[in-house]
Amino acid sequence: MSGEVEHLPWFHPNLNRHQTEALLLHNGQDGSYLIRSSTSHEGEYSLSVKCANSVKHFQIGWNGNEYVFGMGKFSNIEDFVSHFENKPLIGGETGVLILLRYPYPRHVEEPTKYDTIRVHAEWGNRPSSQHADDAHIESLNSKEGYLTKQGGRRKNWKARWFVLERNLFRYYKTKGEAQPIRTLDLDKCLEIDQDFECGKDNTIKVVMPGRTFLIYASTPTEKDDWLKILKWKIEKLHNAI
């Protein structure tokens, strides 16, 4: 693939999907974007853009001569960016319109884990007190999405919107609800692991004092993503005690 992208100041070669979401959600603004190496298509790239309270990801292909994005083709990356600075992308099922506004610089110590990130760049309209070089932004690990949870009494299964942020694991009736149904403090969690006894594929058990919560994902990949970040979070919390 063209080496042009690797020379961009906002190309991040070592970020995966979840690190990118953590970085942009906690340290970006609406319209902040970056390009990274695709983790699902070797030799291609992904465009990640912050929009509202989420990060949208888009695949950028290469046919040997041009960049391919949906039905569009671009001879160079500058044309691609210029196009979507003026013509919005359509993000996911919500149909939200997204413009590329603020390239997120690569002058960042890219973490191999989610716990900290060190910022070496100043941009945007933030107060000068927030512009300190080497500012430490802690606990950037976050994830959200629909999972199906078993009820505590009836043992029926219902889809819930789960949000993991810092040490709190919340679930809501639907996405966009203001108040969670319940908040689990992972500081008190006894165990998180895959469950093989409930009869559902891709199930995770979250063992809390007095109750074990069973939740399952729609795919093995989604289950692995949730399990990885949850187990990593528990390990970090327990090691900090």
Side-chain angles (χ1 to χ4, degrees), residues 191-197 200-205 223-224 227 231:
E191 181 187 4
I192 289 181
D193 209 342
Q194 187 168 354
D195 181 85
F196 299 98
E197 298 180 358
K200 297 283 188 181
D201 293 334
N202 310 316
T203 299
I204 298 170
K205 61 180 178 181
K223 178 263 298 178
D224 289 342
L227 194 58
K231 293 185 76 169

Side-chain angles (χ1 to χ4, degrees), residues 155-166:
K155 304 302 180 184
N156 55 339
W157 296 86
K158 291 185 178 180
R160 296 292 186 234
W161 181 257
F162 280 79
V163 176
L164 172 65
E165 189 172 18
R166 301 184 186 275

Side-chain angles (χ1 to χ4, degrees), residues 130-150:
Q130 297 180 20
H131 276 313
D133 280 355
D134 296 343
H136 234 63
I137 311 296
E138 297 190 357
S139 299
L140 293 187
N141 46 303
S142 62
K143 184 171 173 58
E144 58 185 47
Y146 277 107
L147 295 167
T148 303
K149 187 188 76 70
Q150 187 184 59

